[in-house]
Amino acid sequence: MISEKINEIINEQINKEFYSGYLYLSMSARLKSIGLFGFASWLKNQAKEEVEHGLKLLDYLLDRNSFVTLKQIKMPEFEFNGVISVFNEIYEHEKCITSSVMEIAKLAEDECDRTTLSFIDWFINEQIEEEQQVKNIIKRLELFGEDKASLLLMDKELAV
Ligand code: OFO
């Protein structure tokens, strides 16, 4: 069994992952409503991945005979000021998630909990990949600014 502190921080992380899913789903809905179907489907897919991350953490707690406490998921908040602003918000959000994953790793290290440390490694690598993916989208959006033809081309590319 893992310590109470690790149990608690992982329960918090489950909530953050589900919140991420909720946030990306609401962004996806907003983008779909303005006709950016590719961006919307990419985000909907990200939302599903976030739920998978939450479930992965939940299963870990159960596999370690620990307690799962599902907390209230807050209402997703974001300002819609165009596509770049959405992706900048996602990038900032992912950086916060990376910090909280790092906090789990730090706590596991302090407690010499090698099982949690090795488990959380997958999340650290996933965060590197996700931050990079979002940064790459931002770089390209910045490149063509307000050009609608390029935006629609990218929308087509991102469709999943
Ligand atoms: Fe956005 O990644 Fe989950 O952890």
Side-chain angles (χ1 to χ4, degrees), residues 20-100:
S20 301
Y22 223 34
L23 177 66
Y24 297 162
L25 203 55
S26 68
M27 289 169 160
S28 164
R30 186 74 171 87
L31 290 169
K32 193 168 183 177
S33 76
I34 58 166
L36 290 173
F37 305 120
F39 282 99
S41 70
W42 188 88
L43 266 167
K44 192 174 175 185
N45 202 51
Q46 288 303 114
K48 286 183 195 160
E49 281 193 17
E50 298 303 349
V51 171
E52 285 297 322
H53 297 167
L55 294 176
K56 199 176 172 82
L57 290 156
L58 185 147
D59 284 340
Y60 178 69
L61 287 184
L62 294 176
D63 288 347
R64 302 299 315 277
N65 296 313
S66 298
F67 303 101
V68 172
T69 314
L70 295 180
K71 303 173 188 226
Q72 187 173 21
I73 302 169
K74 64 177 182 179
M75 196 173 121
E77 277 172 30
F78 74 98
E79 293 252 349
F80 186 76
N81 292 312
V83 185
I84 294 192
S85 87
V86 169
F87 279 86
N88 277 326
E89 286 192 54
I90 296 171
Y91 187 61
E92 289 311 311
H93 180 71
E94 284 301 330
K95 284 201 291 186
C96 289
I97 297 294
T98 302
S99 304
S100 62

Side-chain angles (χ1 to χ4, degrees), residues 91 94-95 98 127-135:
Y91 187 61
E94 284 301 330
K95 284 201 291 186
T98 302
Q127 282 310 117
I128 295 172
E129 196 187 305
E130 284 192 349
E131 279 189 25
Q132 200 47 45
Q133 266 183 342
V134 177
K135 197 65 187 167

Side-chain angles (χ1 to χ4, degrees), residues 109-120:
E109 220 164 55
D110 291 349
E111 294 192 4
C112 298
D113 178 348
R114 298 215 59 82
T115 326
T116 301
L117 255 181
S118 119
F119 168 74
I120 215 65

